[in-house]
Amino acid sequence: MSKSTATQARPLSPHLQIYRVTPTMAMSIVHRITGGALYFGTVLFALWLLAAATSQAWFDFVNMLFGSILGRLVLFGYTWTLIHHMLGGIRHLIWDTGHGIEKETSTRMAWVTLIGSVALTLVVWVAGYAVRGGF
């Protein structure tokens, strides 16, 4: 049997080359990625708690790993991921109330989410180093 002409003439679904990336679309994608990345960060946090519950040597080893340049970079990324995902969740909560759905407002909220997450991450790390007594 051959296919009918109605099935053959159907338009194809839009693909990524058709869409123009908007701030709202980018923040939606980043929100999903940060949600997945939080699983990895939670495993690191659980490892740290496990080390604290076992022995001083294991705890010192994990602290040494997290205190290295690479470890601090990973922890900085985890902090940003956590804050960015939280702000994205607040943005979605506001949308659930019916506010901020307009195109201009949602674009502005996407930029505020990005800028706010970077600023709050820096504030958390500067405050943490200030409490700790420096770098």
Side-chain angles (χ1 to χ4, degrees):
M1 271 193 178
S2 66
K3 293 185 177 182
S4 70
T5 55
T7 331
Q8 292 174 348
R10 287 183 177 171
L12 297 174
S13 296
H15 46 81
L16 292 177
Q17 295 172 346
I18 301 288
Y19 291 112
R20 185 179 64 94
V21 177
T22 62
T24 307
M25 179 193 308
M27 288 303 103
S28 176
I29 293 167
V30 171
H31 185 75
R32 293 168 193 266
I33 292 170
T34 57
L38 287 174
Y39 284 107
F40 175 70
T42 303
V43 168
L44 292 178
F45 182 65
L47 177 68
W48 181 76
L49 287 175
L50 183 66
T54 55
S55 69
Q56 183 67 37
W58 181 241
F59 184 70
D60 290 340
F61 176 72
V62 171
N63 272 344
M64 185 266 307
L65 287 178
F66 288 170
S68 69
I69 297 295
L70 181 61
R72 289 181 191 191
L73 186 62
V74 168
L75 291 175
F76 185 83
Y78 179 66
T79 306
W80 176 79
T81 299
L82 187 63
I83 292 173
H84 188 276
H85 196 76
M86 178 193 66
L87 291 179
I90 292 171
R91 181 171 51 108
H92 282 272
L93 184 63
I94 292 169
W95 286 347
D96 287 344
T97 66
H99 295 85
I101 301 173
E102 301 81 23
K103 184 178 179 180
E104 298 80 22
T105 308
S106 63
T107 300
R108 194 173 323 120
M109 288 173 72
W111 281 110
V112 167
T113 300
L114 180 61
I115 295 167
S117 65
V118 171
L120 285 173
T121 301
L122 291 173
V123 166
V124 165
W125 275 73
V126 167
Y129 275 115
V131 167
R132 187 172 173 237
F135 293 92

